Structure formats: structure tokens, C-alpha cells
Amino acid sequence: MSGHSKFANIKHKKEKNDAKKGKIFTIIGREIVVAVKEGGPDPANNSKLRDVIAKAKANNMPNDTIDRGIKKAAGDANASNYEYITYEGYGPNGIAIIVDALTDNKNRTAANVRSAFTKGNGNIGTPGCVSFMFDKKGQIIISKEECEMDADDLMMIALDAGAEDFSEEEDSYEVLTDPDDFSAVREALENDGVSMASAEVTMIPQTWVALDDETAVKNLQKTLDLLEDDDDVQYVYHNWDE
């Protein structure tokens, strides 16, 4: 990301998440519900649930909270029926924004997302209007501080498991995969004892856009803050070069 360390971005994101621990736990809790409903409560037979559990642990969610979430989702036939919905739009100066939501009330979520864009002088677009500017990839970030393995050995484990790309930065390694191969690559690294700072399927911008105008920056930040504070919003992707 144009001169920025991906690991520094991950740490920054985690610091924000630590300040909003309840929010990130809510997000992961809903993903556990969906994963259990789709594939059952046994992680051994549900790769999606294994990925969510790995994400939960990376965000320091206690094991008993994870177990409670799985049991609740498995035992409650009337648990909220969440559905995924994606919104695309533009922030100031044409910054591309993608919003992934998981909601049990689409009307509420749509109104809140539209309001967040409007308050930041942006606007919602039609499906597909900005997603072509991003690549959907499995992305794994490994901190060099936390990894004793030689870079070549790490790369071979990742590539042998199906990774598309391996790159080295000053403070971290990045592994990119096709979304369909993400689980296999993550598990191969986990089985070799590799500690991952971040492991998720994400949207990676093909190009980044800088904002020089102070008002545009404030407006964009307002939209991003409103979206990230919304309980229905899971993830927000954008191509702003912060």
C-alpha cells in the first residue's frame, strides 16, 4: 500500500478494534451464527467455522465466548436469520467504498448506510459501481517479530498449500490466495505453528487514491466512522491512501 506497512495498518486497525472490543466481538459472533447455520457446529467438518474461530482468536476473543456462541447458534432454531448484503458507493473526490453488512433488518441497514454516505458528502451507487476496482483475495499477514521461520520455508508452505503470492515487507510477510484456497493455506500455516497477525478474505484496491483537501478528508472520515460504528456493518473497504 503505497509506502505504508500492511502490518502497521493491521496494528492500527486492531488498536481501533481494541477500543471497540464489543463491536468486533458482535461482528464475529454474527459470523459464528451464520457459519454454524450453514455448516453445522463442528469445526472439524466446517471450514468456514474454522476460519471464523481463527479470526476470533486473532482478535483475542476468549475461548469460552467462542464456545458459547457456537452452542447458542446450534441450539437456537429461532436465532436471528442474518443475511449478507453489500453496498457500494463514493466518498469525496470519488473515493471508492464497499460496505459489507450482516443484518436481520435490511431496511434499517440500508437507511443507516445511506445516511452515513450522505453525511460525508458521498453517495450510494449501484451494485458493481466500484467493486471492479478491487480484487477479492484471501490475505494473511505475519509479523516478523512473531515468526522464527525462515522466509523461504514460510513461502514454500504457503505456495504448496495453494497461495498465489508471497511478499516480504520490512516488518511482515504477506500471503495472498484465491478466496476458495484461503482456508487450506491458513490451516497449513497454522499447522506449522505460524502465528498470524491477520487472516481474512478481504477486498484489496487495485490502486490507491490520496486526498489533499482537508474538508474532503474530514467528510470521508465522518462516513467511515459512521459506517464502522453501525452494528449491522461488518467490514468497510476503501481505496483511500491514508
Side-chain angles (χ1 to χ4, degrees), residues 82-115:
Y82 295 111
E83 57 182 311
Y84 284 103
I85 185 162
T86 299
Y87 304 90
E88 300 182 32
Y90 303 92
N93 293 30
I95 293 292
I97 303 174
I98 298 175
V99 181
D100 278 350
L102 188 55
T103 180
D104 56 0
N105 186 329
K106 284 165 66 173
N107 290 336
R108 176 191 65 221
T109 308
N112 290 347
V113 170
R114 190 174 299 279
S115 172

Side-chain angles (χ1 to χ4, degrees), residues 78-154:
N78 297 315
S80 293
N81 287 314
Y82 295 111
E83 57 182 311
Y84 284 103
I85 185 162
T86 299
Y87 304 90
E88 300 182 32
Y90 303 92
N93 293 30
I95 293 292
I97 303 174
I98 298 175
V99 181
D100 278 350
L102 188 55
T103 180
D104 56 0
N105 186 329
K106 284 165 66 173
N107 290 336
R108 176 191 65 221
T109 308
N112 290 347
V113 170
R114 190 174 299 279
S115 172
F117 273 88
T118 301
K119 286 178 178 174
N121 281 345
N123 61 285
I124 294 269
T126 55
C129 68
V130 301
S131 54
F132 70 93
M133 303 182 205
F134 295 74
D135 294 318
K136 188 173 187 177
K137 295 288 181 186
Q139 182 189 50
I140 297 167
I141 306 293
I142 299 154
S143 165
K144 285 186 175 180
E145 279 186 12
E146 301 290 325
C147 183
E148 297 177 2
M149 192 176 291
D150 180 77
D152 288 342
D153 293 338
L154 191 62

Side-chain angles (χ1 to χ4, degrees), residues 23-24 26-31 55 84 99-103 227-228 230-237:
K23 163 76 178 183
I24 195 69
T26 299
I27 285 173
I28 294 170
R30 289 185 180 185
E31 291 186 4
K55 186 190 296 184
Y84 284 103
V99 181
D100 278 350
L102 188 55
T103 180
L227 289 170
E228 287 171 358
D230 190 301
D231 283 344
D232 294 335
V233 172
Q234 297 287 98
Y235 301 103
V236 180
Y237 309 106

Side-chain angles (χ1 to χ4, degrees), residues 11-238:
K11 285 198 290 188
H12 174 64
K13 211 190 309 185
K14 283 198 170 178
E15 282 163 9
K16 282 176 73 177
N17 286 346
D18 284 342
K20 302 177 181 176
K21 190 66 81 178
K23 163 76 178 183
I24 195 69
F25 283 5
T26 299
I27 285 173
I28 294 170
R30 289 185 180 185
E31 291 186 4
I32 287 173
V33 170
V34 173
V36 169
K37 282 185 172 290
E38 286 182 4
D42 182 2
N45 299 317
N46 186 341
S47 65
K48 190 170 183 179
L49 181 57
R50 288 199 298 276
D51 290 340
V52 179
I53 291 171
K55 186 190 296 184
K57 289 180 176 176
N59 282 281
N60 301 316
M61 182 183 269
N63 286 334
D64 61 337
T65 304
I66 297 170
D67 292 340
R68 265 202 318 273
I70 293 171
K71 284 174 185 164
K72 185 178 177 186
D76 186 0
N78 297 315
S80 293
N81 287 314
Y82 295 111
E83 57 182 311
Y84 284 103
I85 185 162
T86 299
Y87 304 90
E88 300 182 32
Y90 303 92
N93 293 30
I95 293 292
I97 303 174
I98 298 175
V99 181
D100 278 350
L102 188 55
T103 180
D104 56 0
N105 186 329
K106 284 165 66 173
N107 290 336
R108 176 191 65 221
T109 308
N112 290 347
V113 170
R114 190 174 299 279
S115 172
F117 273 88
T118 301
K119 286 178 178 174
N121 281 345
N123 61 285
I124 294 269
T126 55
C129 68
V130 301
S131 54
F132 70 93
M133 303 182 205
F134 295 74
D135 294 318
K136 188 173 187 177
K137 295 288 181 186
Q139 182 189 50
I140 297 167
I141 306 293
I142 299 154
S143 165
K144 285 186 175 180
E145 279 186 12
E146 301 290 325
C147 183
E148 297 177 2
M149 192 176 291
D150 180 77
D152 288 342
D153 293 338
L154 191 62
M155 179 174 68
M156 289 315 299
I157 292 168
L159 295 179
D160 285 348
E164 291 181 344
D165 192 30
F166 179 93
S167 59
E168 182 174 353
E169 290 190 350
E170 187 179 334
D171 53 5
S172 63
Y173 305 107
E174 179 190 37
V175 178
L176 293 179
T177 79
D178 182 276
D180 290 341
D181 296 325
F182 169 72
S183 292
V185 175
R186 184 194 63 72
E187 287 175 10
L189 291 167
E190 188 178 71
N191 290 340
D192 269 280
V194 176
S195 175
M196 289 161 265
S198 171
E200 61 188 355
V201 175
T202 187
M203 300 292 282
I204 300 175
Q206 294 162 2
T207 56
W208 297 88
V209 179
L211 284 182
D212 300 319
D213 180 69
E214 196 174 315
T215 302
V217 169
K218 283 182 180 174
N219 281 331
L220 179 58
Q221 197 62 65
K222 182 187 290 184
T223 291
L224 296 178
D225 286 345
L226 286 168
L227 289 170
E228 287 171 358
D229 285 342
D230 190 301
D231 283 344
D232 294 335
V233 172
Q234 297 287 98
Y235 301 103
V236 180
Y237 309 106
H238 58 77

